[in-house]
Amino acid sequence: MAARSVGSSDKYSILLPTYNEKDNLPIIIWLLVTYMDKSGFNYEIIVIDDGSPDGTLDVAKQLQNIYGESKILLRPRPKKLGLGTAYIHGMKHASGNFIIIMDADLSHHPKFIPEFIEKQKLCNYDLVSGTRYIGSGGVYGWDLKRKLVSRGANFLTQLLLRPGASDLTGSFRLYKKDVLEKLVESCVSKGYVFQMEMIIRARQFGYSIGEVPITFVDRVYGESKLGGSEIFQFAKALLYLFATT
Ligand code: GDD
Ligand code: MN
């Protein structure tokens, strides 16, 4: 696979939203650089930190010193403003024609990114979504409650909206930049439910969706920011989309 994209003008902007990820950030960035360099793809990593009290931004600055300002871009915001708007903020600063979004807590392994890129090229997909729910995909480390929440959210959404994609709440995805811009414009949700709305809108607009099985491994360091209010937001958005799309 090496050198495959030499001469290609494609550039991949990887968005990493962070909130209290000081222990995870050095590892995820090292893995990203390792896998992207090995595959020869042109890329940049954009860290969107929301004023993490644990000093994530300072760690990010040190990493920027190590890997260079053209590889690591810092686009912080003063306070925790939510995952959905973090992506939008990062996208505005992206110079790539493709955008990759992923979690920064090592739940999403960078080794899958070359597969996303190959898949996209295969059929010129508008977006490629990582899926835990087909083929070799899966979830590791979640308790039963968390698994049920995820399965339940996917099941209900499949039932009500028939989106034609197997993992609706996952957030490991690759988008053509102009496609992501159009989707973002039409999305109303701001929190975690953003992922689900994006894929529903993609179907609504007739965008083509490729899927790559991924394994999601629960974080080792730090804790999830998903809480009861996110579940409520999800239910609300699901009903809204059911009524309007
Ligand atoms: N900038 C910013 N602002 N980053 C945030 C915020 C925020 O308000 N909230 C969370 N993040 C970052 C975290 O630091 C992490 O890198 C990523 O967003 C995901 O947050 P987690 O708190 O680790 O999410 P999770 O593991 O509970 O949820 C994952 O699975 C869900 C369902 O499968 C995520 O992938 C979700 O996006 C997904 O919906
Ligand atoms: Mn996580």
Side-chain angles (χ1 to χ4, degrees):
M1 193 192 296
R4 167 151 192 179
S5 66
V6 169
S8 155
S9 59
D10 289 334
K11 181 170 180 181
Y12 299 87
S13 298
I14 301 166
L15 306 188
L16 281 186
T18 57
Y19 191 74
N20 288 345
E21 304 291 2
K22 75 168 168 44
D23 296 322
N24 292 313
L25 200 59
I27 312 174
I28 186 84
I29 288 193
W30 181 79
L31 285 168
L32 279 169
V33 169
T34 302
Y35 281 92
M36 292 308 279
D37 284 349
K38 194 165 75 182
S39 327
F41 297 119
N42 187 14
Y43 69 99
E44 64 185 2
I45 300 167
I46 304 179
V47 180
I48 306 115
D49 186 64
D50 272 2
S52 300
D54 76 344
T56 301
L57 187 57
D58 297 326
V59 173
K61 279 180 188 147
Q62 292 180 37
L63 292 163
Q64 191 183 42
N65 289 336
I66 296 171
Y67 297 105
E69 286 184 15
S70 62
K71 280 277 164 287
I72 316 282
L73 284 72
L74 308 181
R75 295 293 178 265
R77 303 189 296 177
K79 63 177 168 96
K80 193 171 189 301
L81 296 169
L83 197 47
T85 61
Y87 294 130
I88 299 170
H89 178 77
M91 183 185 76
K92 287 188 186 137
H93 298 281
S95 66
N97 55 329
F98 288 99
I99 310 270
I100 292 164
I101 65 173
M102 66 189 297
D103 295 347
D105 61 354
L106 300 171
S107 287
H108 296 150
H109 199 297
K111 72 182 176 191
F112 294 112
I113 293 178
E115 289 180 40
F116 280 51
I117 294 175
E118 298 296 329
K119 185 86 189 184
Q120 191 285 323
K121 288 184 191 293
L122 200 65
C123 297
N124 192 24
Y125 286 115
D126 293 314
L127 78 98
V128 174
S129 175
T131 175
R132 297 161 289 182
Y133 298 130
I134 56 170
S136 52
V139 171
Y140 297 89
W142 272 358
D143 59 17
L144 185 64
K145 181 183 158 222
R146 187 68 207 261
K147 279 185 180 157
L148 284 175
V149 167
S150 179
R151 282 280 184 183
N154 272 287
F155 177 77
L156 273 178
T157 312
Q158 296 287 355
L159 195 74
L160 294 179
L161 303 176
R162 311 223 161 265
S166 60
D167 192 339
L168 310 168
T169 52
S171 55
F172 197 177
R173 294 181 187 157
L174 178 155
Y175 294 88
K176 287 180 180 167
K177 189 182 186 195
D178 54 331
V179 167
L180 183 60
E181 279 166 348
K182 286 211 193 80
L183 287 173
V184 157
E185 260 171 47
S186 64
C187 273
V188 293
S189 346
K190 295 281 171 280
Y192 280 59
V193 59
F194 181 80
Q195 321 292 359
M196 183 273 275
E197 182 173 358
M198 292 285 279
I199 213 137
I200 300 297
R201 299 273 178 212
R203 262 305 167 218
Q204 190 187 6
F205 297 152
Y207 288 129
S208 58
I209 305 174
E211 293 194 298
V212 169
I214 57 148
T215 47
F216 180 104
V217 182
D218 197 22
R219 59 166 68 243
V220 175
Y221 300 111
E223 53 195 40
S224 164
K225 286 95 206 169
L226 187 132
S229 87
E230 295 288 354
I231 297 172
F232 176 72
Q233 295 293 326
F234 188 94
K236 223 172 69 177
L238 179 60
L239 290 176
Y240 172 80
L241 289 168
F242 181 59
T244 58
T245 62

